[in-house]
Amino acid sequence: MNSGTGGGGGGAGAAEPSRSGSPGEDGFAPSALGTREHWDAVYERELQTFQEYGDTGEIWFGEESMDRLIRWMQNRKIPLDASVLDIGTGNGVFLAKFGFSDITGIDYSPSAIQLSGSIIEKEGLSNIKLKVEDFLNLSTKLSGFHICIDKGTFDAISLNPDNAIEKRKQYVKSLSGALNVKGFFLITSCNWTKEELLDEFSEGFELFEELPTPTFSFGGRSGNSVTALVFQKT
């Protein structure tokens, strides 16, 4: 995971945090899911499991979340040579399903990158670059991407016990530096609503499309357990 917080590729399942206030004010209640120590431990275990049993682990938010993003790229006819950055790549299973020729997966956890490298090698893929990187302190060499993808990293940043609000602001700055003008940012979240994400990414980004996600009904009201949005850098 990135930024000392978690995110991306799989294994531990998505968080369902409680809030201490609204995201624009007090943010989310701090959680172990927002710490680097948690995600280091998760991927150390998953790496050991893969080495012993060949189990790649789970896909963050499930297969449907992965297929949803791939379908969007196909429907929008995104060129197969477009440069793609996966923020918080985790076990890298998501990257192995891509048909793109210029893919970079980053994660702040060395164990996650080692695990994703082993999985990608097993799949016989040579078009994927993997780097140990903290997205909040991103190398300037990681820039000019056409597509940036986040499936859980921004969620986990929201749970960081050490000034999560400032970390979210830094995330937006890092995203702006990594993405080309008119480039697309695809985010999947279980913590944030559409309206909240629009507010979080209001500076330098505009909503391009909302992707359909499963709905639920409870007490006569319906809603979505997951939000999936596509932003475009302005």
Side-chain angles (χ1 to χ4, degrees), residues 39-229:
W39 294 107
D40 274 338
V42 165
Y43 285 105
E44 286 169 7
R45 290 195 303 269
E46 289 206 353
L47 177 60
Q48 184 176 356
T49 299
F50 178 77
Q51 291 171 339
E52 292 180 0
Y53 306 106
D55 182 4
T56 60
E58 300 174 9
I59 295 175
W60 195 262
F61 294 125
E63 291 272 355
E64 170 57 26
S65 66
M66 178 182 69
D67 294 340
R68 181 188 307 122
L69 302 183
I70 293 174
R71 282 196 305 270
W72 181 84
M73 293 188 190
Q74 292 172 339
N75 291 339
R76 287 289 167 185
K77 295 181 169 50
I78 302 297
L80 291 179
D81 61 351
S83 55
V84 179
L85 177 66
D86 188 30
I87 304 167
T89 197
N91 63 10
V93 171
F94 178 59
L95 300 184
K97 305 295 183 182
F98 263 48
F100 287 77
S101 60
D102 186 4
I103 306 171
T104 301
I106 62 170
D107 203 296
Y108 96 119
S109 171
S111 294
I113 292 300
Q114 188 178 349
L115 173 61
S116 55
S118 298
I119 292 171
I120 288 167
E121 182 180 2
K122 180 182 177 181
E123 296 287 336
L125 300 173
S126 59
N127 61 321
I128 298 172
K129 298 179 286 289
L130 297 169
K131 299 179 182 295
V132 177
E133 285 276 354
D134 179 347
F135 191 66
L136 299 190
N137 296 284
L138 196 63
S139 167
T140 55
K141 294 180 181 179
L142 290 174
S143 61
F145 289 94
H146 299 102
I147 305 280
C148 287
I149 296 171
D150 182 326
K151 296 198 297 91
T153 298
F154 189 73
D155 277 359
I157 284 175
S158 309
L159 308 179
N160 193 292
D162 182 20
N163 204 345
I165 293 176
E166 286 304 314
K167 283 180 167 57
R168 298 201 310 262
K169 292 178 180 178
Q170 182 57 47
Y171 180 103
V172 176
K173 291 180 181 179
S174 293
L175 178 65
S176 182
L179 198 60
N180 266 343
V181 174
K182 299 300 181 182
F184 294 108
F185 172 53
L186 285 65
I187 182 169
T188 303
S189 170
C190 68
N191 293 357
W192 298 85
T193 66
K194 172 185 176 181
E195 290 72 22
E196 291 165 348
L197 287 174
L198 288 176
D199 184 61
E200 290 290 312
F201 293 93
S202 61
E203 187 172 337
F205 299 89
E206 61 183 11
L207 180 65
F208 186 83
E209 189 172 346
E210 180 177 9
L211 305 183
T213 60
T215 60
F216 68 91
S217 297
F218 181 78
R221 302 181 65 183
S222 61
N224 299 77
S225 57
V226 173
T227 302
L229 302 179

